[in-house]
Amino acid sequence: MSSGARDVLQRIVDVQAVLHGAGTVSRDALSAIARHAESRSGIQRSVETGCGATTLLLSHLSQHHTVFALDVGGSVANVRRSPLLREGVVSFVEGPSQKTLPLHSFPEKLQLAVIDGPHAYPFPDLEYYYLYPHLDTGSLRVLDDIHVRSIHNLFEFLREDEMFRLEEVVRNTAFFTRTDAPTFDPHGDGWADQRYNARTLFRYDWRSRLKSAMPQKLFRGAAAYRSAKRACAVRILSPRRGEKVSEARVVHGEAMLGAGEFVWVLARRKGVDGWWPQGDGAAAVADGSWSVQAVYGGPQDSECAFELAAVIVTEIVHERWVRWVEDVKRTGAYPPVQLPTAPHVLAETFQTVHKGASGG
């Protein structure tokens, strides 16, 4: 830091206690702002939410400085009349930054930005939103009072985001450099592309993580165990396990259904990924019994093992498979489907049969 900058900084530190009734940044943080600003090739344009000692300092570090602030505790008035304010450099936009920032036009990129305005949630995040698209590559990003939880949330996001690199934390003030990463689209919602969102919160997402880590057979077994405790139930009565079948045969079974629950029968050649719904829709259940015509592949599948599945599903899955049947009739294409998992499968049973050259 040059001797002139040190002299200005010392004079600002001497008067900072009377500038802002709500408190101000520490001497160490002011020194760090001066150090980081001087290490850059030149601060042409800077911006700040809040007003105080930082405003006086930045009037000497920047060629054009804009302040968004309310005159809380006389902060704006005190800074305006301070002899340490460099004339002709600072523009004051008075009023709540929540209202003034969205209306402001930034004609050029910013090389320095300080967020030290209202601390209540979500106002620090709003200030970030309206400022970050205007930050120049290599610019300095200063976030004060990160010990306040609403601001600490923003601090945690910034330290994870690819657009910023954390340089240091000086007491309660964090210093970031804007990297050359592309600017996140402020009008989109690519939340999954943000590094901060790379991992969801385990305490809310443990079921899906457990599902992805468990073998599918084990997971479905656990789901079936849970559904066995429900009032709904389903059984395949014929064909029996291991029985030989012909290319087409009626499958009979029993089911107990509740409101908004449906029985579907599906089949596949063993080892094939995916299932094919049988019949023209959900099985009609009368007095607890149902029957569905099942087709076991074509002539090329003779002597192969086939799996049958009878599942009770919710209305969401039922409607999806009804559309599948309609698409099949319209297009003639038979794409496979996947069996649903809890909570959309309420009960299920499986049967393995063998297709012979001639079957029962």
Side-chain angles (χ1 to χ4, degrees):
M1 188 185 303
S2 66
S3 59
R6 281 196 298 269
D7 178 61
V8 169
L9 177 60
Q10 183 57 56
R11 292 166 63 193
I12 292 172
V13 169
D14 290 341
V15 301
Q16 71 178 136
V18 298
L19 289 175
H20 199 314
T24 184
V25 299
S26 66
R27 176 195 176 113
D28 292 340
L30 288 171
S31 298
I33 291 174
R35 172 165 44 84
H36 281 285
E38 288 194 327
S39 69
R40 283 155 171 79
S41 57
I43 306 298
Q44 291 298 313
R45 293 188 178 276
S46 57
V47 69
E48 173 185 19
T49 60
C51 184
T54 50
T55 309
L56 298 178
L57 177 61
L58 289 169
S59 75
H60 294 270
L61 298 174
S62 174
Q63 298 305 310
H64 304 278
H65 185 58
T66 304
V67 174
F68 298 85
L70 277 170
D71 195 12
V72 177
S75 58
V76 174
N78 290 336
V79 168
R80 280 181 180 275
R81 62 172 173 256
S82 173
L84 293 174
L85 181 70
R86 188 157 71 107
E87 293 185 3
V89 173
V90 181
S91 300
F92 293 89
V93 181
E94 293 193 51
S97 60
Q98 308 95 302
K99 292 186 176 181
T100 57
L101 266 174
L103 302 176
H104 191 80
S105 176
F106 294 93
E108 297 181 38
K109 288 289 188 179
L110 303 170
Q111 289 77 51
L112 191 152
V114 178
I115 285 187
D116 191 19
H119 290 8
Y121 182 83
F123 305 138
D125 292 349
L126 287 174
E127 292 182 341
Y128 168 77
Y129 173 77
Y130 287 109
L131 288 177
Y132 86 82
H134 307 290
L135 295 176
D136 204 358
T137 299
S139 61
L140 179 64
R141 185 77 168 77
V142 183
L143 183 63
D144 192 39
D145 291 333
I146 63 173
H147 63 292
V148 178
R149 292 187 67 179
S150 56
I151 299 174
H152 192 80
N153 290 339
L154 178 57
F155 169 71
E156 290 293 344
F157 170 80
L158 293 174
R159 71 189 302 188
E160 291 285 337
D161 197 81
E162 293 182 351
M163 290 193 300
F164 299 95
R165 180 178 67 251
L166 178 62
E167 300 292 353
E168 65 174 331
V169 174
V170 178
R171 296 198 182 182
N172 299 326
T173 307
F175 294 81
F176 296 89
T177 293
R178 174 67 168 92
T179 68
D180 58 1
T183 301
F184 183 76
D185 182 2
H187 302 126
D189 186 24
W191 66 269
D193 298 327
Q194 294 178 310
R195 196 157 56 190
Y196 185 73
N197 292 319
R199 290 178 62 84
T200 53
L201 293 174
F202 182 77
R203 64 180 177 271
Y204 301 112
D205 195 35
W206 63 269
R207 289 180 177 85
S208 60
R209 293 199 201 179
L210 181 63
K211 174 185 174 182
S212 63
M214 291 173 62
Q216 187 66 12
K217 184 176 181 180
L218 182 59
F219 182 82
R220 295 198 64 83
Y225 175 78
R226 290 193 301 271
S227 65
K229 297 181 179 181
R230 297 174 56 93
C232 59
V234 63
R235 288 201 305 161
I236 296 175
L237 299 179
S238 69
R240 297 182 300 276
R241 186 179 304 277
E243 187 174 339
K244 276 203 170 185
V245 297
S246 57
E247 191 164 305
R249 177 170 173 175
V250 175
V251 181
H252 300 280
E254 296 177 337
M256 293 175 56
L257 298 179
E261 299 173 354
F262 305 86
V263 177
W264 281 77
V265 176
L266 305 95
R268 69 175 178 182
R269 198 172 79 179
K270 195 163 187 176
V272 174
D273 184 25
W275 294 80
W276 282 262
Q278 303 298 303
D280 288 329
V285 180
D287 296 326
S289 298
W290 53 264
S291 297
V292 170
Q293 178 84 5
V295 177
Y296 302 96
Q300 72 278 8
D301 298 310
S302 295
E303 306 300 333
C304 291
F306 275 79
E307 292 179 294
L308 288 170
V311 295
I312 298 178
V313 297
T314 61
E315 190 168 2
I316 292 176
V317 177
H318 169 71
E319 291 178 352
R320 185 192 311 157
W321 286 350
V322 166
R323 289 192 298 270
W324 182 91
V325 172
E326 293 171 350
D327 289 343
V328 165
K329 292 179 179 179
R330 186 180 70 255
T331 65
Y334 290 79
V337 303
Q338 299 297 322
L339 292 184
T341 56
H344 298 298
V345 61
L346 307 173
E348 59 187 15
T349 187
F350 300 91
Q351 195 82 286
T352 299
V353 296
H354 292 273
K355 180 179 179 180
S358 61

